[in-house]
Structures are given as structure tokens and as C-alpha cells.
Amino acid sequence: MKVFQAIEQRRAVKHYQKESKMPAEDFDKIMSAAILSPTSYNIQHWRFIRVTDQLHRHKMKDAAWGQAQVADAAELIVLCADVNAWSDRPERYVANSPQESQDILLPMMHAFYAGKEQIQRDEAMRSCGIVAQTIMIGLRQLPNGWL
């Protein structure tokens, strides 16, 4: 499927075949694509929690106002934003860059984020939105078209 076709055909699916299970290779392919999503300073503000236990999924369904897809979808990934990721060993985000670039980027990153809670939140949310869209479009590319 072409990318624009995937975008045009993307839907918010509400009903699933409960017995469907996503093959491990499909899940791995989607997650491999997801982590290639762009983020500010390559910080990768997102964290993924894959929920496979049905008891946990039903408890989460209750917390999600009874939305059936929480319990019924082939996969449930909880997407979390780490607003403090920028301050957690920031040198790792530029480790593969030349030293001259690191000497510029690390102070720049600190100046951009330090003491700016709204920016920290906005960038984390933006990163999560981009990775979520990457996952949704990627799902449309799989043979079963999981969305």
C-alpha cells in the first residue's frame, strides 16, 4: 500500500475480532518502524508498555470508560510521554556525533528544556503523536492491515 493511500484509509477502529493475535514478526516490524520516528534532539520521549495479560487489559478497559478496544484489540500498547527524558543522560542522544557537534548540542538542549515545563511537555507530546501516527500508518502496511 502506498503511504498516501494508508493515510487516506486510516480509521479509528472500534470493533475487533477478539481471537485475532498479531504475529510476532508483525509486532516487531511495527515497533522497529516506530522507533525511527523523529524526535527533538533525538530524545525519543516516548515509552511503550505492551499489555498482554487479559486481566490487566480488562482492568484498563474499566479505567478507559469501558472502551471495548482496550480488551479486544490484538495488541494493546500504552504510549507514555517522558517529559524529563531530555535530562536523563543527555550525552547518549549525541553519542554518535562528532565531538564538535556534541559540544554545541548538549548546551543547546539544556538551554532549550531547562526550567521550561511547557516546552518539556509539548515536545514529549509531539514526539508521542508522531510515533503513534507512525504505528497507525505502519499497521496499514502489514499484510493483514491491522487497522
Side-chain angles (χ1 to χ4, degrees):
M1 180 180 295
K2 299 198 184 298
V3 173
F4 287 110
Q5 185 181 9
I7 292 168
E8 291 167 358
Q9 293 180 3
R10 192 216 53 80
R11 299 289 180 264
V13 178
K14 302 292 184 190
H15 303 285
Y16 300 89
Q17 297 174 357
K18 292 182 184 183
E19 64 282 347
S20 294
K21 298 296 175 208
M22 181 178 284
E25 58 271 10
D26 285 354
F27 183 82
D28 292 344
K29 189 170 191 173
I30 290 300
M31 296 312 293
S32 293
I35 63 173
L36 296 175
S37 296
T39 61
S40 175
Y41 292 98
N42 194 34
I43 290 175
Q44 303 170 359
H45 303 83
W46 21 254
R47 303 294 179 263
F48 307 101
I49 301 170
R50 184 181 189 187
V51 184
T52 57
D53 181 87
Q54 284 301 315
L55 180 61
H56 287 111
R57 289 178 71 160
H58 282 284
K59 287 180 181 179
M60 293 176 75
K61 176 183 171 184
D62 292 341
W65 300 284
Q67 296 180 69
Q69 59 267 41
V70 174
D72 296 347
E75 288 290 340
L76 176 62
I77 301 170
V78 178
L79 178 56
C80 304
D82 183 353
V83 297
N84 296 310
W86 70 274
S87 63
D88 180 15
R89 297 169 287 126
E91 63 280 355
R92 66 190 165 127
Y93 304 124
V94 295
N96 295 324
S97 300
Q99 187 61 49
E100 301 81 29
S101 297
Q102 292 181 36
D103 293 344
I104 294 168
L105 289 170
L106 287 171
M108 187 184 297
M109 186 186 316
H110 185 268
F112 184 74
Y113 285 105
K116 300 174 183 165
E117 290 183 13
Q118 188 67 48
I119 287 176
Q120 294 168 17
R121 178 193 172 281
D122 290 351
E123 289 301 320
M125 296 300 287
R126 186 176 352 271
S127 294
C128 286
I130 292 170
V131 77
Q133 186 68 26
T134 299
I135 290 169
M136 287 186 279
I137 291 173
L139 287 169
R140 294 290 304 181
Q141 303 304 305
L142 295 174
N144 291 334
W146 287 96
L147 283 181

